[in-house]
Amino acid sequence: MEATFVLNAGLNQLGNLSSCGNSFDQFVKIENTINGVKTNFTITDVGGLFASGASQHFGVVELLNDIGAADSMNKAVVLFTFDGPQTTSGNHFLLKYGDHLDFDIPKDSFNSYVNSSIPVILTKYDAIGGKIEGSFNGHIKGLNIPDRNVNCTFRVNRTN
């Protein structure tokens, strides 16, 4: 079946898409702009890892939310944390961000950090077993690569 969509600036809700019989029920799409040059990566790998939901820190559930995704070959990896309630209402801001472009292998850690208030816009925050969907756009500082603008859209299953 062929479908045509008209895309407008900003977030476009297209529902679940499939290609050649593969459904992309979960995805994290990143567009990086470094010194005016855009690069993209999208994690849709059904054999990959997706995890998301409320964070527990020091045994107390805080108003933090974690999203992580990796393809099955671990060539594309992204992890980020935002604050705010586990709903689409209220304010949400990106607190941490890391991806495979700025990973320190010897230290096994991400070197990127958020250097300004970056709003996270949530369009869905279901109960466990449902979906978390949203987007953010802002400047990320890195130690291994120059500062960059990151534009991210995501839809992942809520696992906790």
Side-chain angles (χ1 to χ4, degrees):
M1 178 174 109
E2 183 177 315
T4 303
F5 298 97
V6 176
L7 301 178
N8 299 311
L11 185 63
N12 291 269
Q13 297 293 334
L14 303 177
N16 292 339
L17 301 178
S18 65
S19 172
C20 303
N22 296 321
S23 176
F24 298 117
D25 186 48
Q26 298 186 90
F27 66 86
V28 177
K29 180 180 179 184
I30 304 288
E31 178 184 87
N32 286 288
T33 305
I34 303 170
N35 294 328
V37 177
K38 290 185 179 186
T39 61
N40 298 292
F41 68 90
T42 302
I43 301 171
T44 57
D45 191 343
V46 294
L49 168 72
F50 290 90
S52 64
S55 297
Q56 259 195 1
H57 296 274
F58 306 110
V60 177
V61 175
E62 297 182 34
L63 296 178
L64 298 179
N65 305 276
D66 297 318
I67 305 280
D71 67 12
S72 59
M73 303 290 284
N74 280 327
K75 292 187 180 210
V77 177
V78 64
L79 299 166
F80 56 91
T81 300
F82 57 93
D83 65 353
Q86 281 76 50
T87 66
T88 56
S89 64
N91 294 323
H92 300 85
F93 292 96
L94 192 66
L95 299 176
K96 296 179 184 176
Y97 176 87
D99 64 31
H100 60 279
L101 297 177
D102 202 25
F103 189 76
D104 188 335
I105 293 173
K107 292 182 180 177
D108 192 29
S109 65
F110 293 101
N111 286 326
S112 298
Y113 62 94
V114 178
N115 63 333
S116 63
S117 294
I118 299 174
V120 176
I121 295 139
L122 293 180
T123 55
K124 184 179 271 193
Y125 202 111
D126 289 339
I128 293 172
K131 298 281 188 249
I132 300 175
E133 297 180 10
S135 63
F136 62 86
N137 182 16
H139 292 283
I140 304 291
K141 283 192 168 280
L143 298 177
N144 297 326
I145 59 175
D147 293 357
R148 58 189 159 143
N149 191 70
V150 174
N151 186 4
C152 174
T153 56
F154 56 90
R155 178 177 63 223
V156 295
N157 292 332
R158 182 173 174 200
T159 55
N160 63 345

